């Protein structure tokens, strides 16, 4: 058996607020250095050696995914009306053996006559084949992909390394010829402003989108700067209104927003502010046919809905429509001529509602859209037609594959347009949702708070503490982990696993207050909540500590890493993906990507000694203890700009140095050398990577499964 790599200690002293800390692995911050790259290569080789016995299981798990996935498939066509009068059905297809989608369109007129495009019908046009763009590239990701209002041009951007630095391109759809644009690195977003102008974003040295530009195709004049954001807490974004007459510019921090509107058809128009920036005021803007519709937190911590005239100058011009409601976190609104569709969350579940315009021009009361499961995810997809009387809904749960429905806003009539197929497995046979059970349990946290946890397992599983289990968590940015379906997860469930997600504080499952109770100085609640959920699983017979794996990625990697230090005895294994485990060091360095914009999430330890002390008390890298730990698999990517590869590399080196060695509980680091925060880009390699992770989990907590 090979010996684990030992990273050399090169002491570096960090001093803040009178606290001097020796960091032996600070040298890893130079992620392009030859010695660091050699260290990552050594870790990869060690991981290969330590998991070589799992080759057969990996192939079996990869085969599970292939067998159950309809690899040649397509999306349901959606009709788009262009400004030149043409109408096209847009859809995407995947082809077995190809990694990426092929985006297509077909001329059409009747919104009720959705065409059958299974066999590439006559007249089909390929808008963009991502496989051709990705050919010969080790990595490919599509950013912007937007057809011009007249339907004649396509603007798209591509990332070829995983570092989220995009190249902007424009083509004529009639002959595929390329339209010259400036060769600048751009952020991933953007939109059209008319048929021959593009709005795009550029970034500063910290990779913060800080400038919005207007480019006129074919013009030799310099691009026009529409907006510059000098405040490093804020980042910019762009979008277009539903009728494509307005460009929406946004500047947002974690707790303050400011929006502008720009007339898309006027190349000389100036952006007009919707509501001037006020510290702590968050709002979003939806451009309706008759007014602006604004979701905001002015006097409403869980957010309310207001309307405003197009020339509104601020909150004083807003007219209340839907007040803040107890237990309901309002997230957004889609405005159509005769209907408003509200998206909210309540009791860790989505809530979709429809308001119908009254004869006097006002709006009726919110009418909920019902779903027939106790746990589920659901969303209302945006329709580009402001006059529509129908929208599309997506729905899924822990036991129900993703389903797309058409929903009539006037009658409530529903029609299933597509249900994701789970193909027959050669061993387990047809997929039967009734063979699995999902449930919600409430866990008492250390301070008495009730924390929701969602659980799924096979219906025939015995609750006798012998089942292996995975506990997943995140808990940041007010992100809600609503129940979702997963084909790869079936490979665990069919091997007798319990799979659970802990809806810890810091997430958004129970509203803004739930988020506030797990951020800044209250951040430790996220970690103790996760430990409480782990203890609950063992104390109530779902599993035992020696059969429980904790799993989380990015900020969820921080959650499981900190929980690991709090209660190493609660878990048998931990999988931390692109984990934010050296949080304090990162938040002390304002030159790193995202640091300053993240201070409103985690706190500013550089200038605030109380925040510094809090973060030092929980950051996983600095709190490793010399006791027995679970087996650990850290997965990361070299080109990740959101959580630098340095963080998991330092963490693993620290664990190796401090934790007593145990050959039965290895500590492993696996780095993708050409990928970003989301891992590799092609779907087949992504499935292989997932099979690698699942095989490791099974080997640690259910070696006989």
């Amino acid at each position: 058996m090979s010996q684990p790599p030992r990273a050399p200690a090169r002491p570096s002293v960090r001093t803040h607020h009178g606290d001097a800390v020796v960091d032996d692995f600070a040298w890893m911050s130079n992620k392009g250095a030859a010695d660091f790259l050699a260290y990552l290569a050594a870790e990869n080789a060690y991981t290969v050696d330590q998991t070589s016995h799992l080759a057969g299981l990996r192939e079996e798990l990869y085969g599970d995914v292939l067998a159950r996935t309809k690899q040649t498939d397509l999306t349901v066509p959606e009709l788009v009306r262009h400004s030149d009068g043409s109408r096209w059905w847009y859809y995407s297809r995947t082809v077995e053996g190809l990694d990426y989608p092929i985006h297509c369109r077909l001329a059409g007129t009747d919104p009720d006559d959705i065409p059958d495009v299974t066999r590439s019908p006559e007249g089909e046009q390929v808008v963009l084949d991502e496989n051709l763009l990705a050919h010969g590239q080790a990595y490919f990701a599509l950013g912007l992909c937007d057809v011009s209002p007249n339907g004649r041009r396509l603007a798209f951007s591509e990332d070829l390394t995983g570092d989220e630095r995009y190249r902007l391109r424009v083509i004529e759809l009639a002959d595929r010829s390329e339209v010259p644009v400036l060769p600048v690195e751009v952020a991933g977003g953007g939109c059209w402003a008319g048929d021959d102008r593009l709005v795009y974003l550029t970034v500063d040295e910290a990779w913060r989108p800080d400038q919005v530009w207007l480019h006129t195709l074919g013009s030799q004049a310099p691009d026009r700067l529409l907006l510059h954001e000098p405040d490093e807490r804020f980042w910019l974004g762009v979008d277009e209104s539903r009728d494509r007459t307005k460009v929406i510019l946004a500047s947002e921090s974690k707790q303050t927003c400011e929006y502008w509107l720009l007339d898309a058809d006027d190349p000389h128009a100036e952006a007009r502010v919707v509501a001037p920036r006020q510290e702590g005021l968050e709002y979003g803007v939806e451009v309706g046919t008759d007014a602006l519709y604004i979701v905001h937190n002015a006097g409403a911590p869980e957010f309310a809905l207001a309307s405003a005239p197009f020339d509104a100058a601020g909150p004083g011009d807003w007219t209340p429509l839907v007040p803040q409601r107890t237990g309901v976190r309002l997230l957004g609104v889609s405005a159509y001529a005769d209907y408003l569709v509200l998206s909210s969350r309540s009791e860790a579940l989505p809530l979709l509602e429809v308001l119908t315009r009254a004869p006097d021009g006002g709006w009726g009361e919110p009418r909920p859209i019902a779903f027939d499961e106790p746990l589920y995810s659901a969303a209302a997809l945006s329709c580009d037609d402001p006059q529509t009387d129908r929208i599309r809904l997506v729905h899924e749960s822990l036991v129900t594959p993703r389903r797309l429905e058409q929903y009539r806003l006037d009658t409530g009539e529903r029609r299933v347009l597509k249900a994701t197929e789970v193909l027959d497995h050669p061993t387990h046979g047809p997929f039967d949702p009734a063979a699995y059970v999902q449930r919600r349990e409430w866990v008492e946290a250390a301070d008495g708070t009730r924390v929701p946890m969602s659980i799924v397992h096979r219906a025939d599983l015995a609750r006798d503490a012998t089942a292996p289990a995975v506990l997943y968590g995140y808990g940041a940015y007010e992100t809600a982990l609503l129940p979702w379906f997963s084909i790869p997860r079936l490979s665990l469930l069919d091997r007798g696993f319990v799979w659970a997600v802990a809806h810890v504080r810091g997430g958004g499952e129970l509203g803004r207050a739930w988020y506030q109770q797990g951020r800044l100085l209250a951040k430790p609640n996220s970690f103790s909540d996760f430990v409480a959920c782990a203890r609950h699983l063992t104390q109530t017979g779902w599993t035992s500590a020696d059969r429980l794996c904790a799993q989380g990625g990015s900020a969820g990697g921080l959650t499981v890493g900190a929980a690991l230090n709090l209660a190493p005895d609660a878990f048998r294994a931990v999988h931390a993906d692109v984990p934010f485990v050296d949080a304090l060091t990162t938040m002390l360095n304002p030159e790193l990507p995202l640091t300053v914009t993240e201070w409103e999430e985690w706190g500013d330890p550089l200038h605030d000694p109380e925040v510094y002390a809090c973060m030092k008390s929980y950051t996983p890298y600095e709190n490793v203890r010399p006791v027995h730990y679970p087996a650990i698999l850290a997965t990361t990517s070299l080109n990740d700009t959101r959580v630098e590869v340095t963080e998991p590399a330092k963490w693993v080196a620290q664990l190796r140095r401090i934790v007593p060695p145990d050959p039965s509980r290895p500590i492993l680091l696996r780095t993708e050398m050409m990928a970003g925060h989301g891992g590799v880009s092609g779907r087949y390699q992504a499935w292989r990577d997932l099979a690698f992770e699942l095989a490791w989990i099974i080997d640690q907590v259910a070696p006989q499964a």
Side-chain angles (χ1 to χ4, degrees), residues 50-72:
Q50 292 294 297
T51 59
S52 60
H53 64 291
L54 298 176
L57 179 57
R58 287 196 295 268
E59 284 301 314
E60 182 181 337
L61 292 164
Y62 179 65
D64 285 353
V65 176
L66 295 184
R68 287 181 165 129
T69 301
K70 189 177 182 182
Q71 297 170 60
T72 296

Side-chain angles (χ1 to χ4, degrees), residues 646-666:
T646 302
E647 296 201 30
K650 289 176 64 178
W651 183 50
V652 165
Q654 187 85 309
L655 287 162
R656 288 251 180 78
R657 184 173 64 171
I658 295 176
V659 173
D662 182 348
S664 69
R665 299 187 172 198

